[in-house]
Amino acid sequence: MRIRIIKPGLLSTIQDMGRSAYLSQAVPVSGAMDSLSARIANCAIGNADDAAVIEFTYAGAELVTETDLLIAYAGDGAILSLAVGDIPCERPVFIPAGSTIKLVNNPSGSRTYLAIAGGFDVPEILGSRSTYTRAVIGGYNGRQLQAGDVLNSIDQLSSTAKNILKMLHGDYPDYPNWSLARQLLLPTDKKAIRVVRAHEFSWFDKASTDAFLSTPYTLSLRSDRMGYLLEGTAINREVNTELLSTAVTPGTIQVTGSGSMVLLMADCQTTGGYPRIAQVALVDMPLCGQLKPGDAIYFYAIIRQEAEMLYIEQEKKLLKLANTVNSKFL
């Protein structure tokens, strides 16, 4: 299966679940900003969780199918559309060769993930196909996609994908009447972000920590895949001890010397010298991945054990979804 990029959009890159095995060597995780949407798209067509997908930022991209395709997409940044109408999300869709797919704006979020049966065939670098543009590694030649790029799928399809293709081969496009209902895996309030207090939480005065857990913070225009600068009530320190460079990871919220906060995201560094006020619960990182400049969010604290249980419960649901899709096409 093969597609060609006509218009790349604002920022389109190949991503998967990232490269977490090289943090000790200062290699960022990278990977999908909204891992849940990427996994749902892969699950719908029988791919492995970590199959490479295209991460589109906002709308404006356009591509043409050079062969027949089996695809699925998920996310809130755009709606995929054909000449005959919109393509439904979160389910397998057969699209014949010669079709033009356009990404139309969806104001609900910022990122959309396109999966193709087998996953996109790009080299695996340090255990991942994810693009890290700052170091020019991974993905398609280590860079964002450009007009004229041709992307192939991995030839070896799962038995689920093969059986879906046997069922979907007629109409334009052809798809089943079910979907994976990603929204049921997300909290109702998508602007309320659960956090666990970090090691240096007690370094900040009570007025600041109270404000952190009760007032809104807005994403600055100075936000990217490395991190989001948060605008709102300044955070004041009581403890002025210098912090040696220490471990950080996507979801870490650091407080800068000026009292502003930075929420680290997929392409963040692996260590940092700013004190950490909180860590976003892993299950809420997909919510953060869909934020855009101007969005206002709230933080509220939970304990580490609750964050772990929320993660375990979500993983159980995702496993059940994958098993259901696979059993449906035995």
Side-chain angles (χ1 to χ4, degrees):
M1 299 181 189
R2 186 170 65 252
I3 66 169
R4 177 166 47 86
I5 303 296
I6 300 173
K7 297 178 182 177
L10 180 65
L11 176 62
S12 302
T13 56
I14 300 291
Q15 302 293 342
D16 58 16
M17 294 299 102
R19 46 179 66 84
S20 58
Y22 295 88
L23 294 173
S24 63
Q25 298 174 47
V27 179
V29 175
S30 298
M33 290 276 277
D34 175 359
S35 59
L36 178 62
S37 290
R39 293 173 72 180
I40 288 291
N42 274 323
C43 179
I45 51 177
N47 284 352
D49 269 0
D50 61 350
V53 298
I54 299 178
E55 177 183 271
F56 295 102
T57 305
Y58 305 117
E62 188 174 327
L63 55 92
V64 65
T65 64
E66 295 199 337
T67 65
D68 292 348
L69 297 185
L70 177 62
I71 68 162
Y73 79 98
D76 298 321
I79 298 167
L80 271 62
S81 181
L82 296 163
V84 296
D86 293 343
I87 302 171
C89 63
E90 299 165 6
R91 71 192 73 192
V93 182
F94 171 82
I95 299 178
S99 304
T100 298
I101 301 173
K102 297 182 179 181
L103 274 73
V104 181
N105 182 55
N106 179 358
S108 299
S110 60
R111 292 176 178 85
T112 305
Y113 296 84
L114 173 64
I116 188 171
F120 287 101
D121 188 9
V122 296
E124 190 173 284
I125 307 295
L126 298 177
S128 171
R129 293 181 168 85
S130 284
T131 310
Y132 179 46
T133 57
R134 292 171 185 267
V136 196
I137 62 171
Y140 192 97
N141 296 329
R143 60 166 170 80
Q144 64 189 72
L145 299 177
Q146 299 175 0
D149 289 346
V150 175
L151 297 170
N152 292 286
S153 68
I154 293 174
D155 290 335
Q156 188 171 358
L157 303 185
S158 67
S159 58
T160 297
K162 291 176 182 176
N163 289 331
I164 292 174
L165 277 169
K166 290 177 183 177
M167 184 190 77
L168 304 178
H169 57 273
D171 297 333
Y172 168 58
D174 197 7
Y175 51 84
N177 60 4
W178 53 264
S179 70
L180 297 188
R182 173 178 58 98
Q183 296 298 329
L184 296 181
L185 297 174
L186 296 170
T188 303
D189 187 351
K190 296 179 176 58
K191 303 303 181 185
I193 308 299
R194 292 166 288 196
V195 298
V196 176
R197 293 176 177 87
H199 287 74
E200 291 81 50
F201 186 87
S202 62
W203 285 24
F204 307 100
D205 64 36
K206 187 177 187 303
S208 295
T209 54
D210 286 348
F212 171 66
L213 296 173
S214 63
T215 62
Y217 286 86
T218 303
L219 259 71
S220 164
L221 287 172
R222 295 165 56 194
S223 298
D224 55 22
R225 280 183 49 91
M226 186 173 181
Y228 298 157
L229 180 64
L230 303 177
E231 298 175 338
T233 304
I235 305 297
N236 299 312
R237 288 176 60 169
E238 282 188 334
V239 177
N240 291 312
T241 304
E242 289 298 321
L243 180 68
L244 294 176
S245 189
T246 190
V248 295
T249 189
T252 299
I253 303 175
Q254 295 179 301
V255 180
T256 69
S258 64
S260 61
M261 294 191 299
V262 179
L263 168 55
L264 301 182
M265 295 301 292
D267 283 351
C268 73
Q269 70 278 16
T270 60
T271 61
Y274 290 131
R276 303 157 295 183
I277 192 170
Q279 179 75 32
V280 174
L282 190 56
V283 293
D284 282 354
M285 285 301 291
L287 298 179
C288 298
Q290 289 295 341
L291 295 173
K292 53 190 182 299
D295 283 347
I297 55 175
Y298 291 82
F299 297 108
Y300 70 96
I302 60 176
I303 61 173
R304 176 179 57 81
Q305 291 83 351
E306 184 178 356
E308 291 172 351
M309 289 307 301
L310 287 167
Y311 172 75
I312 290 169
E313 287 303 312
Q314 186 179 79
E315 288 300 303
K316 287 180 179 178
K317 292 175 182 177
L318 284 166
L319 180 59
K320 186 175 181 179
L321 278 179
N323 289 339
T324 300
V325 172
N326 290 333
S327 64
K328 190 176 183 69
F329 295 99
L330 286 175

